[in-house]
Amino acid sequence: MTGRGPGTGGVRGAARVPAARGTAGEPPGTPGASTAPPVPGAPALSGGTAGPTALEPLLRTVLAALAEGAGRRGGPVPATTPGELAAHVAGEFAAASGEDALPRLTALLAYGSADPADPSCAAHLHCPPLAVAAAADLAVSALNPSQDSWDQAPAATVLETLLLEELARLVGYGDEAAGVLTSGGTESNLLGLMLARDRVLGRASGRRTELEGVPRGGPRPRVFASAAAHFSVQRAAALLGLGEDAVVPVAVDHGLRMDPDALAGALKRCADDGELPVAVVATAGTTDTGAVDPLRACAEAAAEAGAWLHVDAAYGGGALLSDRLAPLLDGIALADSVSLDWHKLGWQPAAAGVFLVRRAETYASLARRAAYLNPRDDEEAGYPSLLGLSPRTTRRADAFPMAVTLRALGREGLGRLVDACHGLALAGAAAVRAHPRLELHCDPVLSVLLFRYLPTDGTGGADGADGPGRTDRVNAALRRRLLREGRAVVGRTELPGEGPGRVRLKLTLLNPYATPDDVARLLDAVAAAGRAEEVAV
């Protein structure tokens, strides 16, 4: 893997260098005015040799407040309305002062949070972080390294480089790969389409798009993504000057998986109309069903059309950790770029996004030189920079919790957690099929369960002529009832298409320690809320 700073050799070399010494033979960082408050009682800093001592009592305060707030909440979400919660938060915020601010507001945050560690909090791709990852994240917050220059993050620069090498191998990329940590799938998708724009449009126009902008005139650029792809594809097209209308939605099957014949047809029509296919975006793990597009077929179609292939594996990339599920992503190594999110099926605190390209040379249009961050003579002297790999300047060392987790659990340990969540989804699907008032949309692929509650017509029979519209209203309302009562956090979405009858409920099962009985109780709560809403809707 090239173009990302020092490799393993740099780590071995650094280990042989003796510790630097300060003046008078003392190590840099000796306690003094630079690390301790200059005036007794002044706010302490979290870094330096005195930082851990300053943090210790504060951490005890935070942990106690977290427990107090969670106990007061007593469930997956506070039992309240948005207006009531806003008033309560405003009152607590106004009242908090001095030493009372940290415990009071921490308890407020814990009370007023949706807790993904509760088995009944299962609406979104919102994972409960592993404790080891959260503890590692604290170290990042205390030290505050920034990844835009080596002299702000010496060790973190190397660790991010090594982590990306390992993740590139997991995807199936070779030594020519490059990458960067991102804020999540939205930023990663933007990066993928930006590089696609620069490479494909640049090749077609003979100009550097990153310098001169999108060419006026010439063939219209097009991006192809499934009708179930993430909305960030359209957002990225807008930000890149292509326009949201440049994105061509490709038909999907019942499981919301891209139809390869429909993709081939759309690409042919693009060529027949004299338009330019810039990119194909394949999704590995849609947010609604966890569907994985046919990646190998998408790669072949993109290559034939001369388009860049970006795989949005923000959710489904976690399948690469599992021997059982990894075959679902067959063909991902053929992609020009890939997005992964370990704050989904990786159990990391947000943000833990990853962007990878198969060939480092394709990153050229993002390269930047800033004299105060990555002067050429520094790099020639062996001080690497990650600045040219991200659209951001200041970047947190989000690779560190991921690196700690991978070393602590290994792929095998994380894979067991992925398999546990997949097993929960299978058990939940069986429970939905067995329930007289619930209807499963399709078999789960990863850990998402899509279903709906089926109301009666009031006499115990099927809904009448207004059935689809009434079913949609009942399903939407029962979800809000569960939130209001603090009983559950259940997702809501709509299937592609037009008209009533498309509303579905969604369980995104990312708690590997939940049980099938937990899921069954959650489904029973959904049905009970549905029965209650039938009277009101």
Side-chain angles (χ1 to χ4, degrees):
M1 192 167 180
T2 60
R4 293 154 293 93
T8 307
V11 178
R12 289 196 295 266
R16 293 193 296 267
V17 177
R21 308 293 291 182
T23 56
E26 292 299 322
T30 299
S34 63
T35 60
V39 178
L45 301 178
S46 62
T49 55
T53 301
L55 280 171
E56 187 175 4
L58 298 174
L59 292 179
R60 288 197 298 268
T61 296
V62 165
L63 293 174
L66 286 173
E68 190 273 326
R72 185 152 45 95
R73 184 183 67 240
V77 69
T80 185
T81 66
E84 291 168 348
L85 181 64
H88 177 60
V89 171
E92 289 293 288
F93 181 65
S97 178
E99 293 184 357
D100 175 59
L102 179 63
R104 186 167 193 155
L105 293 182
T106 301
L108 172 67
L109 180 67
Y111 161 74
S113 290
D115 184 3
D118 190 295
S120 292
C121 185
H124 302 286
L125 288 164
H126 176 204
C127 75
L130 291 164
V132 67
D137 197 63
L138 169 64
V140 174
S141 293
L143 296 168
N144 207 30
S146 181
Q147 301 295 89
D148 48 319
S149 65
W150 186 92
D151 58 2
Q152 296 178 84
T157 296
V158 183
L159 280 170
E160 179 168 322
T161 299
L162 295 174
L163 176 72
L164 289 166
E165 289 177 353
E166 189 163 331
L167 296 180
R169 289 193 295 269
L170 186 67
V171 166
Y173 283 169
D175 293 340
E176 301 79 19
V180 72
L181 268 289
T182 71
S183 58
T186 295
E187 182 185 346
S188 294
N189 290 346
L190 175 64
L191 273 170
L193 289 183
M194 186 196 74
L195 297 182
R197 180 201 66 179
D198 295 346
R199 297 288 291 188
V200 178
L201 273 180
R203 184 173 62 231
S205 67
R207 299 178 178 180
R208 293 184 62 184
T209 307
E210 71 273 20
L211 296 181
E212 302 179 39
V214 176
R216 294 183 178 182
R220 182 176 185 184
R222 289 289 195 180
V223 174
F224 299 82
S226 86
H230 196 264
F231 66 84
S232 59
V233 176
Q234 280 82 3
R235 177 180 286 176
L239 291 171
L240 294 171
L242 304 177
E244 290 194 23
D245 288 344
V247 181
V248 178
V250 179
V252 294
D253 62 16
H254 183 72
L256 306 190
R257 186 173 182 261
M258 186 190 290
D259 181 341
D261 292 334
L263 174 62
L267 287 168
K268 183 180 184 303
R269 287 190 296 275
C270 176
D272 291 344
D273 292 341
E275 297 175 333
L276 180 65
V278 171
V280 172
V281 178
T283 305
T286 59
T287 55
D288 284 346
T289 65
V292 178
D293 290 339
L295 303 183
R296 190 168 292 277
C298 291
E300 293 170 357
E304 184 176 348
W308 180 283
L309 176 65
H310 175 69
V311 173
D312 177 2
Y315 173 27
L320 295 170
L321 299 167
S322 162
D323 289 339
R324 181 199 307 170
L325 298 178
L328 291 171
L329 273 63
D330 174 56
I332 193 171
L334 301 174
D336 294 291
S337 57
V338 172
S339 62
L340 308 169
D341 274 8
W342 297 124
H343 52 249
K344 295 181 172 66
L345 276 177
W347 298 280
Q348 299 297 298
V354 175
F355 175 74
L356 296 167
V357 293
R358 183 156 45 97
R359 298 183 305 277
E361 65 194 49
T362 62
Y363 237 123
S365 64
L366 198 61
R368 289 293 179 272
R369 178 76 60 193
Y372 72 102
L373 291 174
N374 62 341
R376 191 179 303 278
D377 55 321
D378 268 7
E379 290 195 344
E380 291 172 350
Y383 291 83
S385 169
L386 306 181
L387 180 66
L389 298 173
S390 173
R392 291 184 284 162
T393 304
T394 300
R395 256 194 328 110
R396 200 168 178 272
D398 292 319
F400 183 70
M402 299 166 62
V404 169
T405 302
L406 275 173
R407 284 296 170 268
L409 278 74
R411 176 180 178 272
E412 182 180 353
L414 285 167
R416 285 194 292 269
L417 302 183
V418 173
D419 289 342
C421 291
H422 181 239
L424 278 180
L426 296 178
V432 169
R433 287 193 187 94
H435 200 290
R437 301 254 49 89
L438 301 179
E439 177 187 69
L440 185 69
H441 176 71
C442 62
D443 290 328
V445 179
L446 297 170
S447 64
V448 172
L449 199 61
L450 204 63
F451 66 104
R452 64 177 174 175
Y453 174 78
L454 296 175
T456 68
D457 61 3
T459 64
D463 255 339
D466 189 38
R470 182 168 182 267
T471 298
D472 285 354
R473 292 192 295 274
V474 168
N475 278 271
L478 75 83
R479 173 182 167 273
R480 291 189 291 270
R481 174 182 286 271
L482 290 169
L483 285 172
R484 189 168 60 249
E485 295 176 352
R487 298 177 64 194
V489 187
V490 175
R492 174 208 190 272
T493 190
E494 294 181 11
L495 300 176
E498 300 293 336
R502 296 183 296 119
V503 171
R504 293 294 185 277
L505 301 175
K506 180 172 63 170
L507 300 185
T508 307
L509 301 166
L510 294 181
N511 184 340
Y513 303 129
T515 67
D517 286 343
D518 290 327
V519 177
R521 281 191 290 271
L522 178 53
L523 292 170
D524 286 341
V526 167
R531 288 191 293 270
E533 284 299 328
E534 284 192 63
V535 178
V537 176

